[in-house]
Amino acid sequence: MPPRRVGPYVILSVIGRGGIGTVYRARHEESGRLAAVKVLGPAPAVDATAARRLAREFEVLRALDHPHVVRVFDAGVSEGYSFLAMELVEGLDLRAYLSPVIDDEDLAPMGYELDPTPAPASPGSPPDLDPGPDAIRALAAMMDEPDTEPYGVAWSRPSAGTPPQASPQRSLLPPEIREALNRPSRIERLRAALWQVTDALAYVHRRGLVHRDVKPSNIMVDDHRQARLMDFGLVKSAAEAQDLTHAGRVVGTYRYMSPEQAQGHAVDARSDLYSLGVILYELLTGAPPFTSSDPIGLWREILSARPPPIAASNPGADAGLAGLAERLLEKEPGRRIQTAGELRAQLGA
């Protein structure tokens, strides 16, 4: 049975569910402030590592103050439930925000007002925990993978035993999809959102932190088109001698992780930039650079395969952005763009 309240927060509805917890839309009882509350539990079902990561996320976020990094309010344990309360971003995750089926005209009505003080439930009745009309527009931190057939176009997957050194074949996108992906207004929104995320990463990296889970569902864009980087549960300090993972253990989301992260090696800020390159490639072509549905096959592609040229599927893609994606996706960290500040400058230019 889900909680009706967690600490000072009254649960209103479900935003998303994942393997280790649930994110709720909630209201602080005294102030009336809306929040996204990530909840693990109840104990003893809580995974100890997940609880430590939640505490770590709070400790990191409380020290960060940047317009493109999600704000955290408080954290704690309430009746066996570990929770983290953060800023509720009313908007879309990056993939949905830049979907080719959405144009500026579709985004114009996004700023509708939500009632911050819904009527209280009748005594003894549980709150409505079904996703409300705002759920598809709110925090999407539990999503890990894009659709298997984005925009109705199937990915080309290498057959079993195919050597990973050669680029997987990528079909030319249909003309209407290419036109939608390359629409000037969409490219302008893509470049602006990417600049904001890069600005957030530059801020995070200057503080000696590596996010380690940069992916579209961990980036939200609000109704004012301001991006927020969120979900710092895997963040790591470059100066730390100990980590919340065992040596050599891989954490993160495979499809967006760098080769060095996929091998369980030490990572630095350039690993986050590689993940940003995967995102940029996906937003330009409609699919990530490596698309194997088999985890071992995907791991081998990340380590050894060359990404299919962006022009192979979308010859009309913005040349400047395509060039940045290719540089960010270099296997060797020393061959990538080296800092978020450098990337930000190139995006600004």
Side-chain angles (χ1 to χ4, degrees):
M1 183 73 178
R4 295 187 59 185
R5 61 179 300 130
V6 179
Y9 293 91
V10 178
I11 302 300
L12 302 178
S13 62
V14 174
I15 291 174
R17 288 188 173 94
I20 61 171
T22 303
V23 179
Y24 297 99
R25 186 172 184 266
R27 185 180 71 249
H28 191 273
E29 190 169 39
E30 290 188 7
S31 69
R33 178 183 62 196
L34 293 176
V37 180
K38 186 186 296 186
V39 178
L40 310 179
V46 175
D47 178 84
T49 300
R52 288 198 301 273
R53 286 178 180 160
L54 196 70
R56 167 70 168 158
E57 183 175 5
F58 174 67
E59 291 301 320
V60 168
L61 283 173
R62 71 189 297 192
L64 300 181
D65 183 14
H66 189 275
H68 301 301
V69 174
V70 68
R71 292 179 297 145
V72 68
F73 298 142
D74 50 27
V77 179
S78 174
E79 298 183 5
Y81 292 90
S82 297
F83 72 92
L84 171 68
M86 69 194 89
E87 174 185 13
L88 177 66
V89 181
E90 305 282 10
L92 298 167
D93 71 62
L94 186 66
R95 185 184 295 118
Y97 173 69
L98 290 167
S99 168
V101 301
I102 295 178
D103 203 352
D104 282 6
E105 292 80 3
D106 303 307
L107 294 173
M110 284 178 63
Y112 66 82
E113 293 294 330
L114 296 172
D115 183 2
T117 55
S122 301
S125 65
D128 180 8
L129 296 180
D130 289 328
D134 60 303
I136 62 171
R137 299 163 25 82
L139 187 67
M142 299 299 180
M143 277 177 50
D144 287 341
E145 299 283 356
D147 295 335
T148 54
E149 294 189 5
Y151 322 137
V153 180
W155 295 343
S156 299
R157 304 185 187 279
S159 58
T162 301
Q165 287 75 22
S167 299
Q169 295 299 309
R170 195 65 56 92
S171 301
L172 187 68
L173 291 166
E176 63 274 15
I177 297 298
R178 297 202 307 271
E179 181 180 357
L181 286 172
N182 300 330
R183 193 168 51 237
S185 61
R186 177 182 181 271
I187 295 301
E188 181 180 350
R189 285 188 283 118
L190 189 164
R191 190 184 298 273
L194 197 67
W195 189 96
Q196 293 170 12
V197 175
T198 304
D199 192 48
L201 282 175
Y203 172 83
V204 169
H205 293 164
R206 284 197 303 270
R207 279 147 185 79
L209 301 172
V210 185
H211 187 282
R212 298 202 301 171
D213 201 18
V214 178
K215 58 185 178 181
S217 58
N218 283 343
I219 299 165
M220 292 291 294
V221 183
D222 69 17
D223 292 347
H224 302 287
R225 305 193 185 188
Q226 297 298 302
R228 304 285 203 296
L229 180 63
M230 56 180 58
D231 203 337
F232 282 70
L234 297 181
V235 70
K236 183 182 187 299
S237 169
E240 284 180 317
Q242 299 295 325
D243 189 22
L244 294 181
T245 59
H246 300 293
R249 182 179 175 185
V250 176
V251 296
T253 304
Y254 257 130
R255 203 165 301 280
Y256 298 94
M257 67 174 57
S258 66
E260 60 270 25
Q261 187 175 354
Q263 295 177 88
H265 294 168
V267 299
D268 58 24
R270 295 171 297 182
S271 182
D272 284 345
L273 295 183
Y274 178 96
S275 300
L276 205 57
V278 178
I279 294 172
L280 178 55
Y281 185 106
E282 177 184 330
L283 294 174
L284 291 173
T285 66
F290 305 116
T291 57
S292 175
S293 57
D294 171 59
I296 299 300
L298 179 59
W299 183 76
R300 288 174 175 165
E301 288 182 16
I302 291 170
L303 297 188
S304 306
R306 295 184 302 274
I310 290 173
S313 57
N314 184 8
D318 182 280
L321 293 177
L324 290 179
E326 290 167 358
R327 290 182 61 194
L328 291 169
L329 288 172
E330 289 283 357
K331 305 291 187 190
E332 171 55 47
R335 295 176 61 87
R336 297 174 201 152
I337 295 172
Q338 294 296 287
T339 69
E342 180 185 349
L343 176 60
R344 180 182 55 195
Q346 296 196 35
L347 288 168

